[in-house]
Amino acid sequence: MSHVYELYYKAFETLRRVREVRSVDDNDKFCKIISQTLQEHLTVIPKLAMGIIECQSLMRPEETDKFMNTLLRSRWITDVEKRISRRVIAEQHLALTETFHSHWHFPDAKQNHDPNADFIGEVFLRCNAKEVVEECSQRAKSLAREAFGRECILPEVKLQGHLEATFPYILSHLQYIVGELLRNSIQAVAERYRSFQADKPPPIEVLVCEAPQHVIIRISDRGGGIPKDILPNLWSFGKGPRSQIHLENLVQVPKMAATMQELKASKPAIETMVLDDVGDQRSVDGSLGSLTSRPPNLRLGMGLPMSRVYAEYWAGSLELHSLKGYGVDVFLQISKLGNKNEQLSTRASMDAV
């Protein structure tokens, strides 16, 4: 906790000394400071989680959970959603500055077409749920093979519904949520049916449903459901029967950006790219991705609670229903950006009042 405090104090002292930005050169210097601060703060999430687990014997689990959620989600008065707010603003500024300096923005540019026209900073205007699910499922399967062995038969991911629907969203956030959900489902099915020696495990079914204001993604698996001792603490950052294991694993993760891209198998990972109308490619990892890596089988116990934080930050939701002995249904509701304000005050900050 003291490490996190020192990081924020250093950031405050650094930023308060920055003079008013009045020129492009001033902005470039400011961007260097922002970029350096973002990289330094990659240690915040694992350090916060470690601090919460270490405090279990000193505080009631409900209090530590409330503290973690408040830190993550707050408005300007109360840190991971507050942290997300600052990071989104900082990365958006860096992305817009990069676009401004791109060669096609100059009067004498030979290329008039902007290959990143579908982006406004970090926001991808034509985000497609089908493409995200396919990309994340490939990455999740690659990680599963690394964890279970190449001979392990993995479930197929079947997509149905409104597969052509597009909406504006920050890809790194959606990729993290969908990636974590698919990793959980693939792992559960693979572990359950590996002992059965079945020729082919049952598929994971993904349904995409588009409404005027939002998109709903339902992920259904037949991995046997969530164990009874885990279910009550599913959305908790610190408590649960496996918290000590998670603490030992967190020690091995010095940095964490909370993106799907940072989870990399030892083989070359699949790089998420977006093709524009003329075939140019743009990496959507951003400064949140490809900065850290950890073994694919290192479980931290943070995937679901972090996914819910990301979903609710953009006025969405994440709900899970477990059928013991059968499987799990997860419902992710994504609000189309531009329809609702950022949810900086959600249930965690309201509980803190």
Side-chain angles (χ1 to χ4, degrees):
M1 290 297 183
S2 62
H3 171 82
V4 176
Y5 172 82
E6 291 297 332
L7 276 177
Y8 280 113
Y9 184 81
K10 178 185 176 182
F12 172 76
E13 286 296 310
T14 301
L15 292 173
R16 79 181 185 90
R17 288 180 169 85
V18 177
R19 295 185 177 182
E20 181 180 355
V21 176
R22 292 179 174 273
S23 65
V24 174
D25 289 338
D26 289 344
N27 183 67
D28 291 342
K29 294 176 182 177
F30 180 54
C31 286
K32 289 181 180 179
I33 295 174
I34 293 177
S35 182
Q36 181 180 351
T37 302
L38 286 175
Q39 295 197 40
E40 290 176 349
H41 281 236
L42 287 173
T43 61
V44 166
I45 293 179
K47 291 295 184 181
L48 272 178
M50 289 171 65
I52 291 297
I53 297 175
E54 289 170 346
C55 290
Q56 282 186 113
S57 61
L58 305 175
M59 300 173 64
R60 289 187 295 117
E62 293 77 13
E63 293 176 343
T64 57
D65 242 19
K66 180 179 177 180
F67 174 75
M68 184 69 165
N69 275 280
T70 303
L71 281 178
L72 289 174
R73 303 171 185 271
S74 77
R75 210 173 184 93
W76 299 109
I77 56 172
T78 58
D79 186 62
V80 171
E81 193 161 302
K82 183 174 182 181
R83 176 187 180 276
I84 294 175
S85 300
R86 288 190 292 262
R87 194 168 196 101
V88 167
I89 293 171
E91 294 208 331
Q92 183 73 354
H93 184 79
L94 292 176
L96 291 174
T97 299
E98 181 183 0
T99 301
F100 176 79
H101 285 303
S102 299
H103 62 272
W104 53 80
H105 280 269
F106 291 92
D108 57 347
K110 296 180 180 180
Q111 181 182 0
N112 295 323
H113 177 75
D114 183 351
N116 297 325
D118 291 326
F119 286 85
I120 300 179
E122 289 291 297
V123 179
F124 183 39
L125 301 178
R126 294 192 303 157
C127 186
N128 180 272
K130 172 180 176 290
E131 294 175 357
V132 172
V133 170
E134 289 176 341
E135 291 163 357
C136 289
S137 65
Q138 290 181 55
R139 191 182 294 272
K141 286 182 178 181
S142 175
L143 296 170
R145 291 190 185 96
E146 191 74 14
F148 299 118
R150 296 286 170 180
E151 70 283 354
C152 179
I153 302 177
L154 301 177
E156 178 186 359
V157 177
K158 287 188 174 181
L159 270 158
Q160 56 182 321
H162 300 147
L163 304 184
E164 303 304 319
T166 59
F167 50 94
Y169 213 78
I170 294 183
L171 272 177
S172 61
H173 289 192
L174 183 58
Q175 288 167 343
Y176 177 79
I177 301 171
V178 174
E180 285 292 340
L181 299 179
L182 287 175
R183 285 187 71 214
N184 290 340
S185 291
I186 290 173
Q187 179 183 13
V189 174
E191 288 179 343
R192 187 183 192 199
Y193 289 90
R194 182 169 51 173
S195 59
F196 295 165
Q197 295 182 345
D199 292 336
K200 192 175 183 180
I204 295 170
E205 298 180 352
V206 179
L207 173 66
V208 179
C209 179
E210 183 185 26
Q213 300 294 325
H214 58 259
V215 174
I216 296 176
I217 300 176
R218 185 191 71 188
I219 300 177
S220 305
D221 68 58
R222 292 170 60 183
I226 298 172
K228 187 177 180 180
D229 60 331
I230 301 295
L231 196 57
N233 306 310
L234 200 61
W235 307 106
S236 172
F237 284 95
K239 60 184 178 180
R242 301 176 184 175
S243 59
Q244 192 59 38
I245 297 175
H246 295 156
L247 177 59
E248 295 171 359
N249 289 343
L250 281 164
V251 174
Q252 304 178 51
V253 185
K255 295 182 179 181
M256 183 179 177
T259 63
M260 187 63 179
Q261 287 78 14
E262 72 183 349
L263 294 168
K264 296 182 179 179
S266 60
K267 303 296 181 182
I270 302 167
E271 185 178 5
T272 304
M273 307 294 290
V274 176
L275 288 176
D276 66 14
D277 295 334
V278 296
D280 291 318
Q281 291 183 327
R282 166 175 173 160
S283 172
V284 296
D285 283 2
S287 62
L288 271 176
S290 301
L291 293 175
T292 61
S293 62
R294 64 180 187 266
N297 58 346
L298 196 65
R299 311 299 291 183
L300 305 179
M302 297 177 61
L304 282 176
M306 277 299 301
S307 295
R308 173 176 272 187
V309 168
Y310 271 124
E312 292 181 346
Y313 177 81
W314 295 115
S317 63
L318 181 62
E319 302 295 337
L320 183 147
H321 302 280
S322 174
L323 299 176
K324 181 61 179 174
Y326 186 80
V328 169
D329 283 338
V330 183
F331 296 85
L332 170 63
Q333 178 175 305
I334 304 165
S335 290
K336 298 177 180 179
L337 296 191
N339 293 318
K340 292 189 178 181
N341 293 328
E342 302 169 15
Q343 298 300 290
L344 303 183
S345 292
T346 53
R347 65 174 70 130
S349 54
M350 288 188 284
D351 289 344
V353 175

